[in-house]
Amino acid sequence: MNVANDVQAFDALRQLAKEQGLDVSGGKVRRTSSRFCLGVEHGDYNGTELFGVGTDRFIWLAYKPNGTNRVRLFSGNFPNDGVIDFEMGKIPQPKSAQIAQTWGRFPYGVDFILGRQGYKIKQGIDGVLYGNIPGGGMSRSASLTLNLILSLFDANQIEVEDKIKIVDLAQAVENDYIGSPCGKLDQTIILFAREGMGTHYNPKDRSIKYVPIGEGATDFRIVVLDTGTDRPGLEKSTYAVRRAECEKLVSLLRKAGFEITCLADIKDDATYIKILDQFSSSHPDLCDRLKYIFHAQQRFYKMMEAWKAGDIETVGKIFRQDGIGLRDDYRISGPELETMCDIARTVPGVLGERMLGGGDKGASGALVRAESVEALKNAVDIAYPRSQPDFAEKYAVHICKVIDGVQVVDGLL
């Protein structure tokens, strides 16, 4: 199934509903986006500020209240799982083997978390889904989880005024039910994304600010380079190891008398140097993780100022520096991801490139002058299959726009 836009998605959803006998006629379609993080990748669980945009790769969910206490959902991306059909409140246990291999763990998890948090979800839905978000690096799981939460809230006429609470709920689905140790970056950027704007989140006061790019900025594109690899869930990846390492270092530093709650609290050079002097010989790997977060956090503020000034060349340069830090100090990248970065770096007009998302596998991303996009695509088409022949038929190049994170269309079906 090849779905590239809303019209194709609506046709696909109608066909899926017909094939599965699910009644969504006259219902709604909720579309949730992917995201592109400009900084700080892996900063959310370390307490840094975040900045990113919504991008036009989506999950579409067509749904309608069904007048019962059951949820019935079918995904065109995972047809072998069949219809996920369950009575609300009667679901498998969190993190159980029963849910590990099915996408149904997401609607189960939404039901579990909403019930745990006291939301009265009594109205079930019938729904069909399809998505064209690559499987690693653009936050497919966060997009799906947000879509399910918002759709069930809508069907049950529940309004949540403080939207950050929805981010908390979506994170809890992945952390507490699925067992994925994700932070809040993905959910925040997607839920609050606005067309043509960057979204700035400050965890200290949980504030959201929209930041337009400055006038006179170079005409550029966001290009996502999907390696064609399959990335396991974060709970099965190096992501979980890195998060545990960062938490271990925080614990060691607190025991040594450093008054911090997360690595983002280490902002001044004197404290940073003192920590390296004290711990680099006994915990070199942990200090490398700090090295990335410390310098990425310093670069973050320079990147924000460059964005506001329309200096996209500096934004790209910092994006590239972050990628080198993720590769060498945080060590969260992978060979296919770095192959894409190596190729992109050879193309004039590519302003910056790095791996995206949780790490290991999935996608890399690049900021590219508009006139250089085709040159990058051609370079990838030539070089990537030669370097990674196992993925010669699976990789893809996505040229993305900056869009709203959530949109709802009523009555199209």
Side-chain angles (χ1 to χ4, degrees):
M1 189 179 296
N2 184 19
V3 171
N5 55 49
D6 286 342
V7 173
Q8 293 174 353
F10 297 150
D11 288 344
L13 293 171
R14 290 187 194 96
Q15 184 62 32
L16 290 172
K18 181 179 179 181
E19 291 172 355
Q20 300 301 320
L22 294 169
D23 180 15
V24 297
S25 59
K28 295 180 180 180
V29 178
R30 174 168 278 101
R31 190 188 76 182
T32 46
S33 75
S34 49
R35 70 98 176 106
F36 193 88
C37 172
L38 290 160
V40 171
E41 197 78 81
H42 293 264
D44 51 354
Y45 58 83
N46 283 302
T48 74
E49 295 175 47
L50 308 172
F51 189 70
V53 297
T55 43
D56 60 340
R57 296 299 182 270
F58 303 108
I59 289 175
W60 292 270
L61 168 59
Y63 67 97
K64 188 171 77 170
N66 60 25
T68 77
N69 65 346
R70 302 193 71 83
V71 171
R72 296 188 286 259
L73 299 168
F74 181 82
S75 170
N77 298 96
F78 302 98
N80 291 338
D81 285 357
V83 175
I84 304 299
D85 183 348
F86 62 93
E87 181 180 338
M88 292 182 291
K90 296 184 178 180
I91 54 173
Q93 288 298 306
K95 305 177 186 178
S96 61
Q98 186 177 349
I99 68 169
Q101 303 304 321
T102 173
W103 81 274
R105 63 190 184 275
F106 290 94
Y108 297 152
V110 168
D111 180 75
F112 176 83
I113 294 298
L114 295 186
R116 188 184 74 179
Q117 297 305 114
Y119 291 99
K120 305 300 182 184
I121 308 295
K122 298 180 180 180
Q123 175 69 261
I125 60 173
D126 283 5
V128 288
L129 304 95
Y130 191 78
N132 66 356
I133 302 175
M138 295 184 76
S139 307
R140 182 170 64 179
S141 61
S143 184
L144 172 60
T145 305
L146 287 169
N147 202 321
L148 292 167
I149 290 171
L150 293 170
S151 298
L152 278 170
F153 276 169
D154 175 64
N156 286 271
Q157 300 180 325
I158 295 173
E159 291 284 343
V160 178
E161 292 186 7
D162 183 0
K163 301 304 182 186
I164 288 290
K165 290 183 179 179
I166 297 174
V167 169
D168 296 337
L169 292 170
Q171 182 191 28
V173 170
E174 297 204 55
N175 287 179
D176 300 347
Y177 187 81
I178 294 171
S180 171
C182 69
K184 291 184 170 70
L185 187 158
D186 301 345
Q187 303 90 339
T188 302
I189 299 302
I190 292 171
L191 183 62
F192 291 98
R194 294 292 179 267
E195 182 176 350
M197 306 284 279
T199 302
H200 177 206
Y201 174 67
N202 189 334
K204 295 297 184 183
D205 59 7
R206 291 166 66 88
S207 63
I208 296 289
K209 294 180 181 178
Y210 293 109
V211 187
I213 195 165
E215 294 183 7
T218 297
D219 189 15
F220 74 100
R221 300 289 183 271
I222 290 171
V223 180
V224 175
L225 307 167
D226 182 0
T227 63
T229 54
D230 293 323
R231 197 197 71 195
L234 297 183
E235 69 276 14
K236 305 171 187 175
S237 71
T238 307
Y239 180 104
V241 176
R242 293 293 172 268
R243 179 161 189 168
E245 288 176 338
C246 292
E247 291 169 353
K248 179 179 179 181
L249 180 56
V250 170
S251 177
L252 289 171
L253 294 176
R254 287 174 60 85
K255 289 177 181 177
F258 292 90
E259 296 182 358
I260 65 168
T261 59
C262 58
L263 293 186
D265 289 340
I266 304 163
K267 293 185 177 182
D268 64 284
D269 289 341
T271 302
Y272 172 67
I273 292 170
K274 184 177 180 181
I275 290 170
L276 293 188
D277 287 344
Q278 189 169 341
F279 289 92
S280 60
S281 60
S282 57
H283 299 283
D285 288 343
L286 300 188
C287 287
D288 279 346
R289 311 302 175 252
L290 170 61
K291 187 183 298 183
Y292 164 70
I293 292 296
F294 180 78
H295 291 296
Q297 191 166 213
Q298 291 184 326
R299 290 189 293 263
F300 179 88
Y301 303 109
K302 295 178 182 177
M303 181 270 295
M304 286 288 294
E305 290 306 312
W307 179 274
K308 293 174 185 177
D311 181 4
I312 193 63
E313 287 81 4
T314 295
V315 174
K317 181 180 179 180
I318 291 171
F319 193 75
R320 177 173 289 164
Q321 291 171 339
D322 280 351
I324 293 170
L326 286 162
R327 181 193 69 192
D328 296 345
D329 295 326
Y330 216 70
R331 290 177 224 162
I332 195 69
S333 192
E336 299 86 6
L337 297 170
E338 290 306 316
T339 295
M340 283 295 194
C341 291
D342 291 342
I343 295 167
R345 213 171 286 125
T346 69
V347 179
V350 173
L351 303 173
E353 67 295 307
R354 66 162 168 79
M355 55 78 66
L356 300 175
D360 297 335
K361 306 290 184 182
S364 295
L367 302 177
V368 187
R369 289 179 180 270
E371 67 269 19
S372 300
V373 168
E374 283 305 310
L376 173 58
K377 186 177 185 307
N378 291 338
V380 170
D381 287 342
I382 292 169
Y384 187 74
R386 293 177 181 174
S387 297
Q388 303 290 342
D390 290 346
F391 304 102
E393 304 300 322
K394 298 180 180 180
Y395 78 93
V397 176
H398 302 272
I399 302 164
C400 297
K401 298 177 183 177
V402 176
I403 46 75
D404 288 349
V406 181
Q407 285 198 336
V408 180
V409 182
D410 198 350
L412 279 189
L413 298 176

